[in-house]
Amino acid sequence: MADIQTTHAAAPAVIRRSDYLPPDWLVPDIALDFDLDPRATRVQARLSITRNGVHDRPLRLDGEGLVPLAVKVDGRLLAPEEWALDAGTLIIPLSGGAHNVETSVELAPEGNSKLMGLYASGGLLCTQCEAEGFRRITFFPDRPDVLSRYDVRLTGDKTRYPILLANGDPVDHGDLEGGRHWARWVDPFPKPCYLFALVAGDLACNRDRFVTMSGREVTLGIWVKDADLPRTAHAMKALKDSMAWDERVYGREYDLDVFNIVAVADFNFGAMENKGLNIFNSRYILADPATATDVDYDGVEGVVAHEYFHNWSGNRVTCRDWFQLSLKEGFTVFRDQNFSADMGSHAVKRIEDVRLLRAAQFQEDAGPLAHPIRPESYMEISNFYTATIYNKGAEIIRMMALMLGAERFRAGSDLYFDRHDGEAATCEDFVRAMEEGGGTDLTQFRRWYEQAGTPRVRAMLHHDAAAQSVELVLEQSIPPTPGQPDKQPMAIPVRTALFDPDTDGHHGDQLLMLTQSRQSFVFEGFAAPPILSINRGFSAPVIMETNSSQDDLAFLSAHDDDPFARYEAMQQLMVNILVGQVAGQAIDEQAVVAAVCNSVSDPSLDPAFVAEVVRLPSEAYLGDQMRLVDPDAIHAARDGLQQRIGAELEPLWRDIHARTKADGFSLSSAAKGARKLRNVALLYIAASGAQDGDAIAFAQFNEADNMTERQAALAILASRSSSERDAALAQFYDRYRDDALTLDKWFQTQAFALHPDTVDIVAALGRHPDFTLANPNRVRSLFGAFAGNQWAFHHGSGQGYTLVADCIIALDKLNPQTAARLVPPLGRWKRFDAGRAGMMRAQLARILAEPGLSRDVTEQAGKSLD
Ligand code: B3K
Ligand code: ZN
């Protein structure tokens, strides 16, 4: 592969964790004055600064794209030779230990297509500062360990911007001449600048209240466009549930008089936890039965909770530097996962979380962008908001919680919050608090923060009939990852049980600690060989390999009392068949058909759980199980098994589909579970080859009173070739063309479709009048979804690679952060045949050769080519 030459600009500078130095200057207080205008917003900043330690270094204030209109120190206007601008940074030599520094700049939010800093979205002005957007608003030491009290005054046109919001509590407001008005907000809690926010616009409010555990009343507001008000009830409920949950489970109370959330249509991420003023991608706020699926409802609940929980895990205790990002993100994901589990089903939530971890994080850990949850270096921090930092980070906290037990984990988290309240902390501070508060030694466990790569654990069970004992041998290995050729053994908590096949019971759930490369555990009292249930609850984020037979897996899929292990046994049963078939082996499918039949016929099981269990693993997950991915063979094998399960159990699926039809809409767990199972039944009816499959799906599409059933039917039809398919897509478009979030589903459903023409369809959709690169949701719906469709993206023609690369190149000029997130699928070339690998590399090289490429995309594409 050495033939590919790239001609690109010098690689961006590398920032290293080991280079951390405390800030030279602190900013205990900042006053900001915004004169808002979409084309010319004036920002005046007054910083009280103090020298940190003994040194003679000048004040350096980060800036990006800013031109200082005036610079004053202690009230005196500086002459241009008294300051300097170096690559955006404002440098002011100062002699004393404390000063007031004032700057003023002008911004054009309407022209800000990066959606970082102050920008315009649908008539609103809003901000996004994490990680380094504040430097696009004003000159400031833009690093998370500089904490300041903010006093913010917003002035703007009263008709255009009747609502003026910022962090903290509102303290004053008033009218001005010429139809203008102002508002002042003060946030008493010192915070890093990445948590700064403002919003100005014509917004309606869903207002509510929450009384905290100490009896303080908090005014809650969810601010949206007037027409969207009816779609805010679920978010408000989620917010109040989250506030109560954090008090009950972590003893953490809200601390300001108001808590505001604003929904915006153009947003690079899901949402942002700015102190007292969360700003959300509207897709995680707005929900009603006609346009939101149950997955969307759960997404709203989970993200509202996540951002709220950041008030403690992120805001009150923040990060010292961006290498510590998982300190707030991993912990907060763990908190939101447990909240959602408490609100719904623990079993189903765990399955969903593991499925996501495997799909996103295991892939990342196995590729060129693998990094530890506490990285050692980066070029562009925006590239490190990854599944590793978030989801693997959450698993690391989960393992600590498991090892410590609930009470000791709570003691550790109390110590962490209390000890570091108001500080910028490190991952090490968290681990130390867990050790001291929880009374344990996590020395070896710290390797989870240092080593990238998913550990592989091999489990072998040997029965000794004479000694009536079993020996469980566990071996761990961690594959090399970029910059880390050799790995040390991890401390891996493995929940295990040994089942007696005759009684269906087991001999107790045990937590085994695997700390060496190879370890043996002996269990006495087994006259007959038991069946191994291992990594129960997915106790550790590892790839587990066992010597379990298909019979053992079938047994566990019917009898395991740990719901995750039961799901896992069924998945493994399916994986073994499909991977075997792709390798050319004929493996009996009957065991899976029988196991699926058992699960759907067991009335004691929760329908939502059954729906998870009987679904085949995704094509991408099957690809991950193979050294070399053959997308066509995987698709054919999976399609074949789906058809067989559909056809053999057709009467059962028809029965389920008929009896799960609800009378009216409800968001109860039972109703959601019924819809989930109903949609799986429809999938299998359609897959069975039944003549009326498309008609049944089309009928569900037409008759559904909710988006969960309508979209599922559309997705099933989108993968087929029939007049019903075309009619459903056309009707969906006509009905929802003016509703951006719902129209996203139309794009996404077609991009995900397992249809032989998906590549051409996506190419055409990229030219559709409703497609725009300016809206990240729309881009993700089409090209993000498409890049996750293994069969289509890896089309043998290589056209899929070209499409995504074209999008990355065009988008990079507008919004590098969102463009960079599309790069990783092209970086998986090592897992594909030489033809595909060559084409993927050629696209990466083409991207890198693009003049003026952003730091974001340069880092991702450059690392992906290595
Ligand atoms: N903390 C924000 C992340 C925003 C990152 C933008 N590059 C969202 C969250 O994790 O809650
Ligand atoms: Zn977060």
Side-chain angles (χ1 to χ4, degrees):
M1 293 294 165
D3 53 335
I4 292 177
Q5 297 295 317
T6 56
T7 49
H8 53 91
V14 175
I15 322 267
R16 290 179 205 286
R17 183 169 74 90
S18 54
D19 289 344
Y20 174 82
L21 289 173
D24 282 341
W25 293 86
L26 301 177
V27 188
D29 287 284
I30 173 171
L32 285 165
D33 198 333
F34 288 83
D35 194 345
L36 296 163
D37 182 277
R39 274 174 291 278
T41 290
R42 279 285 173 119
V43 187
Q44 292 189 45
R46 197 174 68 247
L47 284 58
S48 77
I49 60 159
T50 57
R51 196 179 294 270
N52 191 25
V54 181
H55 65 80
D56 58 2
R57 289 182 288 278
L59 175 69
R60 299 177 68 91
L61 301 176
D62 297 302
E64 187 184 303
L66 302 180
V67 177
L69 302 176
V71 181
K72 289 184 187 172
V73 172
D74 299 327
R76 183 177 73 84
L77 184 67
L78 299 193
E81 60 276 13
E82 290 181 280
W83 52 266
L85 209 54
D86 177 17
T89 304
L90 179 63
I91 304 171
I92 312 174
L94 294 169
S95 52
H99 299 277
N100 276 314
V101 174
E102 290 170 75
T103 63
S104 80
V105 296
E106 193 174 284
L107 311 173
E110 216 169 55
N112 180 353
S113 63
K114 290 186 178 174
L115 313 186
M116 286 294 282
L118 179 69
Y119 66 94
S121 173
L124 305 177
L125 293 181
C126 64
T127 53
Q128 171 58 34
C129 293
E130 187 176 0
E132 295 178 336
F134 194 65
R135 64 184 63 186
R136 292 165 58 79
I137 294 176
T138 192
F139 289 105
F140 195 80
D142 190 354
R143 44 187 290 168
D145 56 352
V146 173
L147 275 61
S148 318
R149 281 177 297 268
Y150 281 67
D151 186 332
V152 176
R153 187 182 147 105
L154 306 174
T155 305
D157 182 85
K158 199 169 180 175
T159 310
R160 194 164 196 167
Y161 305 120
I163 303 299
L164 300 170
L165 306 171
N167 312 95
D169 291 318
V171 295
D172 209 356
H173 64 274
D175 286 332
L176 297 168
E177 283 176 4
R180 294 162 64 73
H181 70 150
W182 62 274
R184 184 171 160 225
W185 292 76
V186 173
D187 182 358
F189 293 94
K191 63 171 178 284
C193 66
Y194 80 84
L195 290 173
F196 168 79
L198 75 80
V199 174
D202 188 0
L203 293 161
C205 186
N206 175 353
R207 213 182 284 281
D208 211 324
R209 61 194 277 275
F210 181 83
V211 179
T212 70
M213 61 188 184
S214 69
R216 286 192 325 99
E217 182 165 327
V218 182
T219 302
L220 311 176
I222 296 184
W223 300 83
V224 295
K225 293 268 170 69
D226 192 46
D228 288 329
L229 258 191
R231 300 207 270 175
T232 55
H234 190 64
M236 183 57 87
K237 177 180 181 313
L239 175 59
K240 291 193 286 183
D241 286 343
S242 307
M243 296 177 90
W245 189 90
D246 214 14
E247 293 184 348
R248 185 162 51 80
V249 180
Y250 283 87
R252 300 291 127 192
E253 187 178 7
Y254 187 62
D255 47 11
L256 289 165
D257 294 339
V258 301
F259 187 86
N260 284 318
I261 294 178
V262 180
V264 301
D266 305 287
F267 204 74
N268 279 339
F269 222 66
M272 180 63 214
E273 70 264 24
N274 316 298
K275 181 79 186 189
L277 177 56
N278 287 187
I279 298 182
F280 269 62
N281 185 326
S282 51
R283 68 170 292 207
Y284 290 112
I285 287 295
L286 306 179
D288 65 14
T291 59
T293 63
D294 292 340
V295 171
D296 295 330
Y297 271 98
D298 290 349
V300 167
E301 181 180 75
V303 179
V304 167
H306 179 98
E307 306 312 330
Y308 175 73
F309 296 154
H310 268 315
N311 191 53
W312 274 94
S313 49
N315 300 3
R316 288 288 285 259
V317 183
T318 192
C319 298
R320 186 193 73 172
D321 54 73
W322 292 121
F323 297 102
Q324 318 299 329
L325 184 56
S326 197
L327 172 70
K328 74 178 178 80
E329 296 304 348
F331 187 25
T332 305
V333 170
F334 172 72
R335 279 150 55 72
D336 84 56
Q337 288 175 345
N338 288 350
F339 165 78
S340 295
D342 283 353
M343 294 294 126
S345 154
H346 282 245
V348 172
K349 179 66 178 147
R350 189 67 186 133
I351 291 167
E352 289 169 353
D353 290 341
V354 174
R355 188 180 282 136
L356 176 66
L357 183 83
R358 285 171 163 165
Q361 200 280 324
F362 279 20
Q363 275 204 357
E364 187 167 81
D365 239 355
L369 299 171
H371 53 276
I373 65 162
R374 184 183 54 204
E376 295 301 333
S377 67
Y378 61 77
M379 294 176 194
E380 170 51 61
I381 186 57
S382 295
N383 288 332
F384 283 77
Y385 287 76
T386 60
T388 297
I389 302 292
Y390 277 68
N391 305 77
K392 185 173 183 178
E395 294 299 319
I396 297 345
I397 309 294
R398 184 176 296 275
M399 285 191 284
M400 285 192 253
L402 174 68
M403 293 186 298
L404 290 169
E407 260 178 46
R408 292 195 300 147
F409 180 74
R410 172 66 195 270
S413 77
D414 282 352
L415 180 62
Y416 169 71
F417 285 128
D418 295 342
R419 180 185 276 173
H420 298 290
D421 189 6
E423 289 181 5
T426 62
C427 295
E428 176 56 25
D429 290 330
F430 185 89
V431 177
R432 210 173 296 130
M434 282 296 148
E435 281 184 321
E436 290 176 30
T440 190
D441 178 353
L442 295 168
T443 306
Q444 187 186 2
F445 188 81
R446 282 174 171 78
R447 286 183 188 151
W448 283 103
Y449 284 88
E450 293 156 14
Q451 300 192 136
T454 307
R456 276 182 183 272
V457 177
R458 263 188 86 198
M460 287 148 300
L461 197 64
H462 310 285
H463 180 241
D464 182 337
Q468 300 209 341
S469 68
V470 279
E471 182 190 24
L472 175 63
V473 178
L474 298 181
E475 283 176 5
Q476 61 163 303
S477 63
I478 307 152
T481 47
Q484 295 187 334
D486 302 309
K487 304 285 168 70
Q488 300 294 310
M490 301 276 214
I492 302 178
V494 185
R495 270 184 58 206
T496 304
L498 295 169
F499 276 82
D500 181 341
D502 294 329
T503 66
D504 298 349
H506 63 70
H507 294 238
D509 190 315
Q510 303 202 33
L511 185 61
L512 308 178
M513 281 307 302
L514 172 62
T515 55
Q516 298 157 27
S517 299
R518 187 173 200 277
Q519 233 165 309
S520 153
F521 302 86
V522 176
F523 306 89
E524 308 290 346
F526 288 88
I531 293 172
L532 174 66
S533 167
I534 194 157
N535 210 22
R536 291 156 70 79
F538 201 69
S539 59
V542 301
I543 296 170
M544 185 64 69
E545 294 166 2
T546 66
N547 58 352
S548 305
S549 66
Q550 289 290 86
D551 284 347
D552 292 346
L553 295 170
F555 172 89
L556 294 171
S557 78
H559 300 289
D560 204 319
D561 59 336
D562 177 76
F564 179 81
R566 190 168 178 155
Y567 156 83
E568 183 72 344
M570 181 77 104
Q571 289 285 293
Q572 200 53 50
L573 204 54
M574 294 167 169
V575 166
N576 290 348
I577 290 172
L578 293 168
V579 170
Q581 286 177 348
V582 170
Q585 301 156 10
I587 299 185
D588 184 17
E589 295 175 340
Q590 201 48 44
V592 160
V593 178
V596 168
C597 182
N598 272 341
S599 297
V600 292
S601 314
D602 185 342
S604 71
L605 295 177
D606 170 11
F609 175 73
V610 173
E612 294 290 347
V613 164
V614 302
R615 267 169 55 183
L616 291 178
S618 71
E619 293 186 5
Y621 183 68
L622 293 166
D624 291 343
Q625 313 309 308
M626 300 167 193
R627 205 191 62 73
L628 216 56
V629 183
D630 181 341
D632 298 321
I634 290 171
H635 175 74
R638 187 176 179 278
D639 217 33
L641 184 56
Q642 195 152 280
Q643 200 228 317
R644 169 116 188 240
I645 297 172
E648 288 212 16
L649 306 178
E650 193 185 321
L652 266 178
W653 299 125
R654 284 181 187 266
D655 175 52
I656 291 169
H657 190 253
R659 78 177 140 81
T660 47
K661 185 167 168 48
D663 267 346
F665 181 79
S666 153
L667 263 180
S668 69
S669 293
K672 285 162 73 178
R675 282 193 286 274
K676 198 169 192 170
L677 189 55
R678 182 161 206 259
N679 288 337
V680 172
L682 182 65
L683 177 76
Y684 278 120
I685 293 170
S688 71
Q691 290 276 312
D692 55 352
D694 290 280
I696 296 174
F698 193 60
Q700 175 170 320
F701 173 81
N702 269 323
E703 290 161 17
D705 67 351
N706 64 84
M707 185 53 82
T708 305
E709 290 178 41
R710 177 163 291 133
Q711 195 196 0
L714 183 71
I716 289 165
L717 288 168
S719 295
R720 301 170 70 83
S721 299
S722 63
S723 56
E724 286 90 344
R725 170 195 181 275
D726 301 340
L729 283 168
Q731 283 180 27
F732 195 94
Y733 176 78
D734 286 343
R735 186 161 175 173
Y736 299 111
R737 58 188 302 173
D738 296 325
D739 173 357
L741 289 177
T742 313
L743 193 60
D744 285 340
K745 297 183 194 304
W746 184 77
F747 281 95
Q748 188 191 51
T749 302
Q750 295 179 77
F752 268 148
L754 294 173
H755 190 286
D757 299 333
T758 292
V759 185
D760 296 321
I761 292 167
V762 168
L765 288 173
R767 298 186 296 270
H768 193 280
D770 288 306
F771 182 75
T772 169
L773 289 174
N775 178 260
N777 286 356
R778 190 57 49 87
V779 173
R780 285 187 283 260
S781 298
L782 185 59
F783 289 106
F786 172 65
N789 180 341
Q790 181 171 280
W791 188 43
F793 176 59
H794 294 283
H795 191 274
S797 65
Q799 200 193 335
Y801 309 143
T802 313
L803 273 178
V804 170
D806 285 347
C807 175
I808 292 168
I809 290 169
L811 185 57
D812 190 52
K813 297 179 181 16
L814 298 173
N815 185 338
Q817 211 177 101
T818 298
R821 297 187 83 82
L822 293 172
V823 174
L826 285 169
R828 301 187 60 238
W829 55 269
K830 281 190 183 130
R831 304 293 298 275
F832 290 83
D833 58 84
R836 285 185 171 89
M839 293 189 286
M840 292 166 85
R841 287 175 54 83
Q843 294 305 326
L844 287 167
R846 180 164 74 94
I847 293 168
L848 280 166
E850 195 61 27
L853 200 67
S854 68
R855 190 166 62 224
D856 311 57
V857 173
T858 303
E859 176 173 34
Q860 296 302 75
K863 288 180 175 173
S864 297
L865 202 48
D866 286 344

